[in-house]
């Protein structure tokens, strides 16, 4: 644990995993359906295999809906550029794959619970596919809907008809 705390200080993170757990728990007490997102950097200098395993355990325990995984990259002219020991690139890639696989499994399972949900969403962006829109409900779950109407900025009632790891597909009611 003390090695983990040293790495956190080097990353300019002045909170603990226990703080993280408590915050998530408190949010979920107040807003049970809240969508929790977090960022994880794999391979920060000094990250041990044991520390990485504890990160996996933390993700499994806290079950965030979204995990943004990035591989450590030493930006030029930063203190991180000079930090040692470096985690081998192959190990960083393997760690990021493990975290991504775990987070995809968790988000898929969590999203399945929304199948059949009916309610109101706010359409807040155009979809990537022509004629598609993305809206979010009060839990901030992204829902893709198809419509030829201009829906940006509108509230609409929908039913979730299909789930994916990163979004829900819905039909307009």
């Amino acid at each position: 644990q003390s090695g983990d705390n040293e790495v956190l200080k080097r990353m300019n993170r002045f909170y603990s995993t226990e703080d993280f757990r408590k915050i998530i728990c408190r949010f979920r007490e107040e807003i049970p359906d809240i969508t929790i997102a977090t960022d994880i950097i794999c391979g920060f200098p000094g990250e041990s295999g044991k520390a990485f395993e504890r990160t996996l355990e933390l993700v499994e325990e806290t079950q965030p809906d979204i995990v943004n995984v990035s591989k450590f990259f030493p930006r030029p002219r930063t203190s991180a550029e000079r930090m040692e020991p470096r985690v081998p690139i192959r190990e960083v890639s393997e760690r990021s794959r493990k975290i991504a696989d775990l987070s995809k499994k968790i988000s898929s399972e969590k999203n399945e619970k929304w199948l059949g949900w009916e309610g109101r969403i706010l359409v807040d962006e155009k979809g990537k596919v022509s004629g598609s829109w993305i809206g979010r409900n009060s839990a901030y779950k992204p829902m893709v809907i198809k419509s030829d109407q201009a829906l940006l900025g509108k509230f609409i009632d929908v039913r979730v008809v299909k789930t994916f790891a990163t979004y829900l597909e819905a039909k307009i009611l």
Side-chain angles (χ1 to χ4, degrees), residues 38-50:
T38 191
D39 299 327
I40 294 177
I41 301 171
C42 290
F44 194 87
E47 178 188 68
S48 67
K50 191 172 186 177

Side-chain angles (χ1 to χ4, degrees), residues 59-124:
V59 169
E60 185 68 50
E61 177 190 339
T62 58
Q63 301 272 306
D65 300 75
I66 301 164
V67 178
N68 299 306
V69 181
S70 61
K71 298 175 187 176
F72 172 76
F73 174 78
R75 290 191 179 138
R77 296 177 300 281
T78 65
S79 58
E81 182 180 37
R82 297 179 301 280
M83 289 182 184
E84 297 288 338
R86 292 281 174 88
V87 179
I89 293 171
R90 188 171 287 150
E91 181 65 23
V92 173
S93 293
E94 180 64 17
R95 290 177 187 183
S96 75
R97 185 195 55 76
K98 284 182 179 179
I99 288 277
D101 289 349
L102 176 59
S103 66
K104 183 176 181 179
K105 175 185 157 287
I106 290 168
S107 63
S108 291
E109 290 170 359
K110 291 179 80 95
N111 280 351
E112 285 174 11
K113 296 175 185 175
W114 289 91
L115 188 62
W117 178 87
E118 292 184 3
R120 184 160 277 225
I121 65 170
L122 171 62
V123 178
D124 60 351

Side-chain angles (χ1 to χ4, degrees), residues 3 14 17 36 44 64 66 70 83 85 93 95 99 107 110 114 116 126 138 144 146 156 160 164 172:
F14 300 102
T17 53
I36 301 285
F44 194 87
I66 301 164
S70 61
M83 289 182 184
S93 293
R95 290 177 187 183
I99 288 277
S107 63
K110 291 179 80 95
W114 289 91
K126 289 183 177 183
S138 61
V144 174
K146 292 183 179 157
I156 58 172
V160 174
F164 300 90
I172 299 173

Side-chain angles (χ1 to χ4, degrees), residues 15-30:
Y15 50 87
S16 67
T17 53
E18 190 54 37
D19 294 333
F20 182 77
R21 282 185 189 94
K22 286 178 183 176
I23 290 167
I24 288 180
C25 184
R26 181 77 174 130
F27 273 120
R28 287 194 171 131
E29 283 173 8
E30 294 295 321

